[in-house]
């Protein structure tokens, strides 16, 4: 969504983008409220959706490998600490491997002089700025459809698939309706459309005790509010850190979700469609302003219907 809007800001004003955000929020809410999204997602094989998730999460693993090669001083100690702590569940319950790896990486970056200056250049506490919307036909035609598809199919599709794989029963229509509704006030301070994002939910449900996942969700929400309030500081810090630190930390955190996505995507029916979905998603193609994950779902479902459904029919006959 941010990439789509970033390209649009080269020829649209921010006020026009805000107007498109508001229209997108209404569309997403309507799609969820009418139940249309639930009916669409019901006909999509879960393996194909999880293959899309695997294709999106893959870049985290690849970036981890790249960081380990290009900047081993920071990335390798983080990996070693993560593996060492993960080997003992008892120790990991006291010293969370990802968090400790982040601390180790930060210390090494500071000690080696790789932390860039200017962390507090943009202040400490965020100051939301209200922007009056401008409803431009050009902006609406360019942004609403891609953003709506990104929210209800790609992002919410990821989130729902990840939660289902973890044993939960998320409301597909409710997720869309809530995303659209909350997007309306947030649009006025410049926020991209709200969604049930895949990576965040994958981290929340990474714990072994599914009945405790709600605790992780609440802690994540509180943490997000704190980061939001002090966003200039956090953003300044992340920009000051070497890219290898960000890549290593994200890769370490997403190892388990990536593994789970591969298992769920390629261990069931419609495996050919899942493979096509995965390949298209990884290709990062963009057609009609809509990015690869959506087309991965489309082509994966098409191939699955043409090839896998016939194989399944023969097995059950």
């Amino acid at each position: 969504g941010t990439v789509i809007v970033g390209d649009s800001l080269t020829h649209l004003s921010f006020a026009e983008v805000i107007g498109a955000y508001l229209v997108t929020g209404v569309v997403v809410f309507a799609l969820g409220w009418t139940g249309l999204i639930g009916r669409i997602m019901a006909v999509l094989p879960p393996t194909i959706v999880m293959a899309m998730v695997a294709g999106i999460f893959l870049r985290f693993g690849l970036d981890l490998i790249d960081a380990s090669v290009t900047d081993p001083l920071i990335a390798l100690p983080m990996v070693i600490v993560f593996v060492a702590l993960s080997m003992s569940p008892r120790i990991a319950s006291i010293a969370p491997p990802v968090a400790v790896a982040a601390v180790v990486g930060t210390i090494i970056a500071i000690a080696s002089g790789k932390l860039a200056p200017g962390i507090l250049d943009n202040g400490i506490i965020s100051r939301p700025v209200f922007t009056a919307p401008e409803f431009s036909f050009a902006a609406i035609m360019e942004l609403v459809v891609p953003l709506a598809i990104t929210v209800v199919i790609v992002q919410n599709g990821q989130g729902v698939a990840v939660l289902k794989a973890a044993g939960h029963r998320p409301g597909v229509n409710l997720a869309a309706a809530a995303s659209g509704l909350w997007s309306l006030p947030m649009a006025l301070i410049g926020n991209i459309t709200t969604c049930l994002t895949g990576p965040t939910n994958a981290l929340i449900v990474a714990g072994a005790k599914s009945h405790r996942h709600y605790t992780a969700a609440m802690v994540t929400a509180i943490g997000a509010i704190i980061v939001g309030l002090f966003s200039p500081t956090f953003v300044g810090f992340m920009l000051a850190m070497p890219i290898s630190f960000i890549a290593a930390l994200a890769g370490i955190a997403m190892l388990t979700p990536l593994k789970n996505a591969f298992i769920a995507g390629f261990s069931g029916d419609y495996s050919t469609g899942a493979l096509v979905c995965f390949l298209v998603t990884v290709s990062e193609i963009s057609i009609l302003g809509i990015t690869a994950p959506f087309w991965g779902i489309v082509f994966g479902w098409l191939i699955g219907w043409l090839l896998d459904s016939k194989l399944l029919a023969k097995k059950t006959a």
Side-chain angles (χ1 to χ4, degrees):
T2 306
V3 171
I4 294 170
V5 172
D7 292 338
S8 299
L9 283 172
T10 60
H11 54 274
L12 295 174
S13 69
F14 195 49
E16 290 178 298
V17 170
I18 298 298
Y21 282 171
L22 290 172
V23 175
T24 302
V26 172
V27 170
V28 171
F29 171 77
L31 290 172
W33 187 256
T34 58
L36 179 60
I37 293 306
R39 290 194 290 271
I40 293 175
M41 295 302 294
V43 301
L44 290 176
T47 48
I48 292 179
V49 178
M50 287 305 294
M52 175 198 68
V53 174
I56 293 174
F57 288 3
L58 179 65
R59 64 181 176 87
F60 293 104
L62 295 177
D63 287 346
L64 172 60
I65 301 298
D66 183 64
S68 300
V69 174
T70 58
D71 195 356
L73 176 64
I74 289 181
L76 288 184
M78 294 175 67
V79 172
I80 293 170
V81 168
F82 172 79
V83 172
L85 293 177
S86 299
M87 290 173 63
S88 173
R90 181 176 297 181
I91 297 177
S93 65
I94 301 172
V98 175
V100 176
V103 172
V104 170
T106 301
I107 293 174
I108 295 175
I110 295 174
S112 60
K114 293 187 175 183
L115 187 68
I119 294 177
L120 301 180
D121 285 354
N122 292 318
I124 298 175
I125 300 177
S126 62
R127 297 175 178 83
V129 177
F130 171 81
T131 301
E134 179 181 339
F135 295 97
S136 159
F137 179 77
I140 291 173
M141 292 300 295
E142 181 176 345
L143 293 175
V144 171
V145 171
L147 287 176
I149 289 176
T150 299
V151 171
V152 299
I153 301 296
V154 178
Q155 293 294 340
N156 283 18
Q158 288 181 58
V160 168
V162 165
L163 292 174
K164 284 184 176 179
H168 300 289
R169 293 183 294 176
V172 178
N173 294 318
L174 177 61
S179 296
L181 196 61
W182 187 245
S183 296
L184 298 178
M186 292 298 98
L188 298 176
I189 56 173
N191 282 358
I192 196 76
T193 314
T194 303
C195 62
L196 187 71
T197 183
T200 302
N201 280 281
L203 294 174
I204 288 172
V205 301
K209 299 178 181 179
S210 60
H211 65 284
R212 298 292 293 171
H213 289 165
Y214 77 94
T215 308
M218 297 303 294
V219 172
T220 301
I222 294 172
I225 293 172
I226 295 173
V227 170
L229 291 173
F230 295 93
S231 57
T233 305
F234 280 99
V235 171
F237 173 76
M238 298 304 283
L239 291 176
M241 291 294 287
I243 296 176
S244 57
F245 169 82
I246 308 298
L249 182 60
I252 288 170
M254 293 301 294
L255 275 180
T256 298
L258 177 60
K259 178 194 71 175
N260 294 337
F262 270 107
I263 293 173
F266 296 100
S267 60
D269 299 329
Y270 295 93
S271 57
T272 308
L275 176 60
V276 171
C277 177
F278 174 78
L279 294 174
V280 173
T281 301
V282 171
S283 73
E284 298 185 353
I285 63 170
S286 178
I287 303 174
L288 301 177
I290 302 173
T291 51
F294 172 75
W295 297 113
I297 288 286
V298 171
F299 293 124
W301 177 85
L302 179 61
I303 295 300
W305 177 72
L306 291 173
L307 299 181
D308 294 323
S309 59
K310 296 180 179 180
L311 294 176
L312 290 173
K314 289 181 180 179
K315 290 181 180 179
T316 55

